[in-house]
Amino acid sequence: MTGRTTLLAAAELLAWWAALAALWLVLISTVDTLELTVGAAVAALGALAARAARRAVSAW
């Protein structure tokens, strides 16, 4: 990976994470520390899965 592709990958992960974390915040009823922590972790896993899925589809 070059510096440019690393930066693009990080930007993609950050964009997915932000979108998924925002969706989590919209869908929960109460916002407390535990919910924010779980939401951030789940959004990170979802961002990794979304990037992996996009790369798998584009490899075809």
Side-chain angles (χ1 to χ4, degrees):
M1 278 184 123
T2 65
R4 178 178 159 77
T5 56
T6 303
L7 185 61
L8 289 173
E12 181 183 358
L13 284 171
L14 183 61
W16 274 112
W17 180 85
L20 292 171
L23 180 63
W24 179 278
L25 286 174
V26 167
L27 294 176
I28 61 174
S29 58
T30 59
V31 179
D32 60 0
T33 305
L34 180 60
E35 287 288 341
L36 289 175
T37 305
V38 170
V42 169
L45 290 174
L48 288 171
R51 175 159 163 74
R54 191 193 59 77
R55 288 193 64 200
V57 169
S58 66
W60 282 81

